[in-house]
């Protein structure tokens, strides 16, 4: 979470209207982004239904209206045909292996609107291991990389 938040230092402050948070855990990042950017919609994606419901609950407790929250409950992340998100943030689960991480990164990057921001975070070791794979899969401009207390974040922009 700390590395991902540091990645926000390299994100232009503006209104992002369609936010996707993947692997949201208990919801710290989506709640922070809800307050910071005030997006019109928040979409949460995870294989863990409890995490999705807990994050949704925390967003509601922090003033987000229920009608503006969508949940995607599944393993991995495939392109959402009807939505181009202008801000995507979340944690990579590198323990799943290079192929699923690459597939998730490809799905995420193809769901990013022009001018959109993608922040990927994970353990420093894990991000280092998948960085080359991500560079080959994600056809976006690298904005910054951050390391923080054993974790890392990579910030991309779709120019």
């Amino acid at each position: 979470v700390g590395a991902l938040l540091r990645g926000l230092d390299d994100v232009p402050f503006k209104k992002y209207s369609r936010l996707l948070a993947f692997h949201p855990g208990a919801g710290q990042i989506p709640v922070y982004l809800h307050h910071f950017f005030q997006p019109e919609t928040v979409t949460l994606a995870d294989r863990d239904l409890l995490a999705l419901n807990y994050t949704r609950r925390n967003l509601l407790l922090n003033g987000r209206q229920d009608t503006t929250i969508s949940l995607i409950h599944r393993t991995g992340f495939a392109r959402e045909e009807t939505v181009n998100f202008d801000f995507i943030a979340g944690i990579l689960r590198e323990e799943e292996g290079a192929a699923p991480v690459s597939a998730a990164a490809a799905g995420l990057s193809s769901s990013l609107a022009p001018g959109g921001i993608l922040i990927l975070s994970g353990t420093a070791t894990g991000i280092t291991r998948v960085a080359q794979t991500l560079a080959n899969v994600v056809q976006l401009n690298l904005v910054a990389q951050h390391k923080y207390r054993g974790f890392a974040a990579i910030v991309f922009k779709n120019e």
Side-chain angles (χ1 to χ4, degrees):
V1 172
L4 197 145
L5 290 175
R6 286 183 184 247
L8 290 174
D9 291 342
D10 298 295
V11 173
F13 181 76
K14 66 175 200 168
K15 182 170 174 60
Y16 294 96
S17 46
R18 292 170 313 280
L19 167 73
L20 169 66
F22 63 97
H23 301 155
Q28 303 95 318
I29 295 298
V31 167
Y32 179 83
L33 296 173
H34 154 73
H35 285 294
F36 197 69
F37 293 125
Q38 295 293 308
E40 293 171 20
T41 63
V42 175
T43 301
L44 308 169
D46 203 327
R47 65 182 179 197
D48 184 345
L49 187 57
L50 180 61
L52 290 173
N53 287 329
Y54 202 86
T55 299
R56 181 182 161 280
R57 178 178 177 271
N58 280 333
L59 282 166
L60 293 171
L61 290 172
N62 278 274
R64 167 90 16 211
Q65 298 219 351
D66 192 39
T67 57
T68 66
I69 302 171
S70 300
L71 304 181
I72 299 173
H73 178 228
R74 66 171 174 237
T75 302
F77 188 84
R79 167 109 168 88
E80 293 301 307
E81 295 299 331
T82 59
V83 178
N84 278 325
F85 299 99
D86 50 9
F87 197 97
I88 301 174
I91 311 297
L92 289 176
R93 292 184 176 136
E94 62 274 358
E95 71 273 6
E96 293 175 350
V101 168
S102 296
L108 291 166
S109 65
S110 69
S111 294
L112 194 61
I117 299 291
L118 170 62
I119 301 180
L120 304 172
S121 184
T123 65
T125 303
I127 290 292
T128 300
R129 285 185 189 141
V130 299
Q132 185 58 47
T133 303
L134 292 175
N136 294 335
V137 171
V138 179
Q139 300 300 313
L140 304 171
N141 293 330
L142 178 64
V143 174
Q145 295 181 348
H146 293 275
K147 289 188 177 179
Y148 179 71
R149 297 184 179 181
F151 294 91
I154 304 173
V155 182
F156 295 97
K157 184 172 184 182
N158 187 9
E159 305 232 41

